[in-house]
Amino acid sequence: MTISLKPFTTFNIQATAQHLVQATTAEQLAAAWQQAKDQAQPVLILGGGSNVLLLDDFAGTVILNQIQGIDITENDEHWLLHVGAGENWHHLVSFTLEHNMPGLENLALIPGCAGSAPIQNIGAYGIEIKHVCDYVDCIELATGATLRLSAAECRFGYRDSIFKHDYQDRYAITALGLKLPKAWQPVLSYGDLTRLSPATVTPRQVFDAVCHMRMTKLPDPKVQGNAGSFFKNPVVSAATADTLLGMYPNAPHYPQPDGQVKLAAGWLIDRCELKGFQVGGAAVHSQQALVLVNIDNATSKDVVQLAHQVRQRVGDKFGIWLEPEVRFIGSRGEVSAVETIA
């Protein structure tokens, strides 16, 4: 007997697993992983299933990380939150505002669970997890030993962390420590937020503006299956950016501390006139080109072929090769997303 994974991923694409375990404690999570390994089964740990594309039926055990809890302490300068990995991210953002602990409002409406946030170093509208992370708690799956990593030890990068590399298969995240400054400073450098006044704006106004931007530009996964932003915003050399800006002076671009320049993948895709472009049941979203959507019972092959076409068109036009932000999961675990769509 197999179990459908369609309800547990936001792309709403049909795939199955041999077994499904819902873990509400770190001990349950490790025990389920160890049992699967004892039976020589591959294991996939999912949170909200919001940043994955299941390429095939999964030939093993899927563990849903549903560890809950939000504990709050404070010192003179910060609110300190200890958040279970299975807590819904947007609910957490709302919770902090309701309790007068701002700092996460720019990250409103990002789908998924708290435990996934450090893996991707999620970010939006000028804020990334690395800016507010204090620590990440993990469990070593093979032994059940616990480990706390400082933010520095997480090796956060652009949509990247140690959890995508050294710790990918050995550890699972069980909790996230957040440090929110009591001396709140708004971050208003992106999108409609630039229209707000730093002197008078409130955290709730930033939250409302972010929610409005996301709801008007991004499809609701409950209505139209998707995995959020499908591609990373490319980070290129200053010379490459200068060449692009010489041809398109109004192209969105964001200088980085290391001298490189981040470009807007959605803008590049849009300039290739790909909004609405469809392969099978998958399409480029008609309003936000960065999002690929399941509009008519798409298969994973539809999405892969669509992503290939988008990457190829952007590469041919601009000489810039996009990389997926979404994790690609094969029958026995994660595979290279770039190689899959190349």
Side-chain angles (χ1 to χ4, degrees):
M1 177 176 144
T2 58
I3 299 164
S4 174
L5 297 176
K6 197 171 183 179
F8 303 107
T9 66
T10 60
F11 236 130
N12 203 29
I13 288 175
Q14 181 56 46
T16 63
Q18 296 296 313
H19 305 282
L20 183 73
V21 177
Q22 300 186 44
T24 58
T25 68
E27 293 74 22
Q28 288 177 0
L29 198 158
W33 187 91
Q34 291 164 11
Q35 182 177 0
K37 289 298 180 181
D38 288 344
Q39 297 170 357
Q41 292 182 353
V43 184
L44 173 64
I45 300 173
L46 285 180
S50 62
N51 198 54
V52 296
L53 174 64
L54 300 174
L55 300 176
D56 301 292
D57 292 335
F58 193 71
T61 296
V62 171
I63 304 172
L64 300 180
N65 186 340
Q66 298 181 334
I67 301 170
Q68 302 288 306
I70 303 174
D71 297 320
I72 304 166
T73 56
E74 61 180 295
N75 58 32
D76 290 343
E77 297 180 348
H78 294 92
W79 299 105
L80 305 170
L81 283 73
H82 180 88
V83 184
E87 289 287 343
N88 177 277
W89 178 260
H90 179 67
H91 292 171
L92 171 66
V93 177
S94 299
F95 174 90
T96 57
L97 279 187
E98 289 163 6
H99 290 79
N100 299 311
M101 297 180 293
L104 300 180
E105 53 283 338
N106 292 54
L107 303 176
L109 276 183
I110 293 180
C113 294
S116 302
I119 298 174
Q120 288 287 109
N121 183 26
I122 62 169
Y125 303 109
I127 291 288
E128 292 180 323
I129 274 294
K130 69 178 182 180
H131 297 130
V132 293
C133 180
D134 189 18
Y135 60 82
V136 176
D137 283 350
C138 308
I139 188 165
E140 188 174 29
L141 293 163
T143 65
T146 58
L147 177 69
R148 175 166 290 184
L149 297 181
S150 68
E153 290 171 322
C154 292
R155 301 209 312 248
F156 289 126
Y158 175 55
R159 301 297 174 268
D160 199 23
S161 71
I162 195 172
F163 306 106
K164 282 190 164 186
H165 303 286
D166 303 22
Y167 282 24
Q168 183 175 21
D169 299 317
R170 293 171 51 207
Y171 293 88
I173 294 172
T174 56
L176 176 61
L178 299 175
K179 181 188 288 187
L180 305 180
K182 291 182 175 180
W184 177 73
Q185 294 288 332
V187 178
L188 307 174
S189 51
Y190 283 76
D192 294 349
L193 299 182
T194 59
R195 302 174 190 168
L196 301 174
S197 167
T200 60
V201 71
T202 67
R204 177 62 63 175
Q205 288 171 331
V206 175
F207 174 88
D208 289 343
V210 168
C211 289
H212 177 74
M213 285 188 287
R214 294 188 74 93
M215 287 189 291
T216 53
K217 295 178 182 177
L218 300 174
D220 183 346
K222 297 185 181 70
V223 178
Q224 210 169 51
N226 70 87
S229 299
F230 195 89
F231 294 100
K232 298 177 185 177
N233 289 319
V235 179
V236 301
S237 68
T240 298
D242 287 344
T243 300
L244 178 70
L245 292 168
M247 300 170 62
Y248 303 92
N250 296 323
H253 61 287
Y254 308 97
Q256 302 298 293
D258 61 2
Q260 293 185 296
V261 180
K262 185 189 293 183
L263 304 175
W267 184 92
L268 297 170
I269 298 167
D270 193 15
R271 287 306 169 278
C272 294
E273 300 181 349
L274 287 169
K275 281 183 179 175
F277 180 70
Q278 186 171 345
V279 173
V284 179
H285 190 247
S286 58
Q287 291 178 274
Q288 172 50 273
L290 193 54
V291 180
L292 306 187
V293 290
N294 177 359
I295 60 171
D296 185 17
N297 294 311
T299 66
S300 58
K301 290 182 175 62
D302 294 339
V303 178
V304 168
Q305 187 57 35
L306 177 62
H308 167 78
Q309 295 283 354
V310 170
R311 184 176 191 265
Q312 195 67 41
R313 294 272 283 274
V314 171
D316 290 345
K317 185 176 180 70
F318 296 107
I320 295 168
W321 297 90
L322 300 180
E323 298 184 4
E325 180 176 323
V326 172
R327 298 169 60 207
F328 283 29
I329 309 297
S331 62
R332 301 190 66 82
E334 188 164 358
V335 300
S336 168
V338 172
E339 291 178 9
T340 302
I341 69 169

